[in-house]
Amino acid sequence: MNRTQVTSLIIPLISIACLIGGGFLLQTNGQDQVNASRSVKGTTLNSDSIHVSFEQVGGKILSIPVKEETPVKKGTTLMTLDSKDVDLQIEQLRTQIAQFNTQISQQQKSIDLGYARAVTQEKQAQLDIAQSQVTQSKSHAALQRAEAAERQATAAEKHVNDGARHEDIQQQRIAVASATKSVQTAQTNYNRNKALYDAGSVSKAALDDAESSLTLAKNQLSQQQESLQKLLNGATAEERMQAKEQTTQASVAVKQAAEEIRGAQLSVDRSKTQLETIQQSRQQLVDQKLAVDLLQQQKETQEVQLKTLLLKKERLVLKAPQDGKITAISTKVGENVGQGSPVITLETNELYYDLYVNEDQVGKFKANKEIKTHISALNKDLQGTVRYVTSAPQFANVKMSREKGEADTATFQVRVYVPKESSLLPGMTVEVNTDEISS
């Protein structure tokens, strides 16, 4: 191989090596082993971007009201999906819930009416029992009176049919004799007073009294004689018929009182049966209440499904999660997108930069710690806030010589966010002096 050939090979090799080295330096963003150990570190501002996607929904894109490079506020509608299917499901669920409400209302009214009717029927049954018991008590008293009247009527009928006893006739004859003697005494008294009156020895009033006593004695004698004659003659056919009729009436009264007692007892039994029926009705109402509870549970299930659909419909409208600028739209109107697929890239208003530090410097950086940041282009200092500290990719580690037994030096990535200002732009150079940061 001559010199010309060697030269022609070396030039391409050198070019390739330069390209590889330049690419590595670009990839490490200048964070090579030299920069990693420097105290003043330079890097660039970056704008935080997020990929926005539909949450747990997908479908046909209906509209995209924004374009690339459009600034948006949090909550701005970015994209909407077709909601016809969801709307139909929502309408169907609302109809079913309305039907459940109607059924629950009707059955609840029926239950309330049933309980009210049961209370009324129970009160009426208890009143019927009390009234029947009063009727029973009265009928028992009437039965006792009727039975006593029947015994008396039977005895009277027997007395009429059997005729007067010898003792009664003898006693009545004594009464007649006594009444006769009374008449004789009264007649004698009257004669004496009459003679004295005629003689002017007594007043007219005394004579009138004597005459009244005589008339009374005669009437009593007449009554006693009639009674004696009745005893001697016996009862007439009419008296026998009257006695029998009285006995019959007394028997009828006994039967009637007994029937009233049986009727009152039947009324009590009927009312008690009605109370048992009312209790069964209450148990049926309890079963109906369980059915209403089941309808209520089914309705609540439908309401949960409705809330899920409403949430799904809400998610069909993609909104900006925060303020920012649209940098990319990866789909078009009419296309179908799947759930979770990024459709829009949003550049937020949050600015950050990454530092690469070595093991000796990493102890100065902790999450939420404020870091003094110098903006070179503006010659201005800002307070940045450390978001996180993590191990840097392998390409940023300092490679040591294995032949000398030296281990590689690890490099760490520190992400710092700075407050958004109108003068700050992504790509501006920032500097951080690690010597000014206390551990």
Side-chain angles (χ1 to χ4, degrees):
M1 181 178 296
N2 55 31
R3 180 176 299 179
T4 304
Q5 291 175 334
V6 172
T7 304
S8 62
L9 290 176
I10 290 176
I11 293 174
L13 290 175
I14 294 174
S15 300
I16 293 172
C18 291
L19 289 174
I20 294 174
F24 177 78
L25 290 176
L26 289 174
Q27 186 179 19
T28 58
N29 197 19
Q31 304 304 325
D32 55 12
Q33 57 185 357
V34 176
N35 282 330
S37 60
R38 289 171 54 187
S39 59
V40 178
K41 300 182 178 299
T43 184
T44 57
L45 278 177
N46 297 297
S47 178
D48 201 4
S49 297
I50 57 176
H51 300 289
V52 187
S53 61
F54 288 96
E55 182 181 1
Q56 298 181 359
V57 293
K60 181 179 179 181
I61 297 176
L62 192 64
S63 66
I64 305 176
V66 294
K67 296 180 180 180
E68 288 85 349
E69 297 300 317
T70 302
V72 294
K73 295 290 184 180
K74 180 179 179 180
T76 301
T77 299
L78 305 179
M79 193 175 295
T80 57
L81 299 180
D82 188 1
S83 64
K84 290 181 180 179
D85 293 340
V86 177
D87 290 337
L88 290 175
Q89 294 175 15
I90 290 174
E91 183 178 356
Q92 182 179 7
L93 277 177
R94 283 176 172 165
T95 301
Q96 292 174 353
I97 291 173
Q99 291 175 351
F100 275 120
N101 286 331
T102 302
Q103 293 177 4
I104 291 171
S105 177
Q106 289 177 346
Q107 294 199 21
Q108 189 60 53
K109 288 180 180 178
S110 176
I111 290 172
D112 295 340
L113 181 60
Y115 275 116
R117 186 185 297 112
V119 171
T120 302
Q121 291 175 346
E122 186 176 32
K123 289 180 179 180
Q124 184 62 47
Q126 290 173 348
L127 289 174
D128 291 342
I129 290 174
Q131 185 176 1
S132 298
Q133 289 173 343
V134 171
T135 302
Q136 273 186 320
S137 179
K138 291 181 178 179
S139 298
H140 277 295
L143 177 61
Q144 292 175 356
R145 291 193 299 269
E147 288 175 344
E150 184 182 29
R151 288 193 297 269
Q152 291 176 358
T154 302
E157 183 182 10
K158 185 177 183 302
H159 182 70
V160 170
N161 291 331
D162 292 345
R165 295 180 301 172
H166 176 70
E167 293 82 358
D168 294 336
I169 294 174
Q170 188 64 28
Q171 186 177 3
Q172 188 61 36
R173 282 175 177 172
I174 293 172
V176 170
S178 176
T180 301
K181 187 175 181 179
S182 296
V183 170
Q184 291 173 354
T185 302
Q187 184 66 49
T188 301
N189 186 45
Y190 174 74
N191 293 336
R192 185 172 56 253
N193 279 285
K194 181 70 170 63
L196 292 173
Y197 176 73
D198 291 340
S201 298
V202 295
S203 63
K204 182 69 169 60
L207 179 61
D208 291 339
D209 289 339
E211 185 179 5
S212 297
S213 298
L214 178 59
T215 301
L216 179 59
K218 288 179 179 181
N219 290 336
Q220 290 178 350
L221 175 59
S222 177
Q223 292 176 355
Q224 295 297 337
Q225 287 174 343
E226 288 178 1
S227 297
L228 177 60
Q229 190 62 40
K230 285 182 179 181
L231 291 175
L232 293 173
N233 294 335
T236 64
E238 184 179 356
E239 289 175 341
R240 291 175 185 275
M241 185 176 295
Q242 289 178 352
K244 184 177 181 179
E245 185 177 352
Q246 289 177 355
T247 302
T248 302
Q249 291 177 354
S251 299
V252 171
V254 170
K255 292 181 180 179
Q256 184 177 1
E259 288 294 331
E260 289 178 353
I261 291 174
R262 284 193 292 271
Q265 184 60 46
L266 288 175
S267 180
V268 170
D269 295 340
R270 185 166 52 251
S271 297
K272 289 182 178 178
T273 302
Q274 187 176 6
L275 287 176
E276 294 176 357
T277 304
I278 292 171
Q279 186 61 32
Q280 293 173 358
S281 299
R282 280 200 172 99
Q283 185 59 45
Q284 292 176 352
L285 292 174
V286 172
D287 296 338
Q288 291 184 20
K289 183 63 170 64
L290 293 176
V292 171
D293 293 340
L294 180 59
L295 286 175
Q296 184 65 35
Q297 292 174 2
Q298 294 175 349
K299 173 194 167 185
E300 290 174 357
T301 301
Q302 298 283 5
E303 288 176 340
V304 171
Q305 295 178 5
L306 177 60
K307 290 180 180 179
T308 302
L309 285 176
L310 291 174
L311 179 60
K312 183 178 180 180
K313 181 178 180 180
E314 182 180 345
R315 288 174 175 174
L316 293 177
V317 179
L318 185 63
K319 295 183 178 181
Q322 61 187 85
D323 296 349
K325 182 178 68 174
I326 304 298
T327 57
I329 299 176
S330 59
T331 186
K332 298 178 181 179
V333 174
E335 292 182 348
N336 288 317
V337 296
Q339 62 181 18
S341 300
V343 292
I344 288 180
T345 302
L346 179 67
E347 182 184 276
T348 70
N349 293 330
E350 292 185 329
L351 297 175
Y352 72 92
Y353 60 86
D354 289 331
L355 296 177
Y356 291 87
V357 297
N358 59 25
E359 296 176 351
D360 296 333
Q361 298 168 335
V362 70
K364 297 182 178 183
F365 299 91
K366 293 180 176 58
N368 299 321
K369 184 175 182 179
E370 291 189 351
I371 302 298
K372 181 180 177 181
T373 303
H374 180 72
I375 310 299
S376 301
L378 303 177
N379 193 24
K380 182 179 181 180
D381 292 334
L382 296 175
Q383 288 295 332
T385 303
V386 176
R387 180 68 58 86
Y388 62 82
V389 179
T390 186
S391 297
Q394 289 295 323
F395 65 78
N397 292 336
V398 178
K399 302 297 183 180
M400 307 300 286
S401 173
R402 294 294 183 183
E403 295 178 356
K404 298 180 180 180
E406 296 176 346
D408 295 343
T409 301
T411 304
F412 296 87
Q413 179 184 1
V414 180
R415 177 157 292 187
V416 181
Y417 278 79
V418 296
K420 175 68 175 178
E421 293 185 2
S422 59
S423 57
L424 291 180
L425 297 175
M428 285 186 172
T429 303
V430 297
E431 293 181 349
V432 175
N433 190 341
T434 57
D435 291 340
E436 295 179 355
I437 302 174
S438 59
S439 300

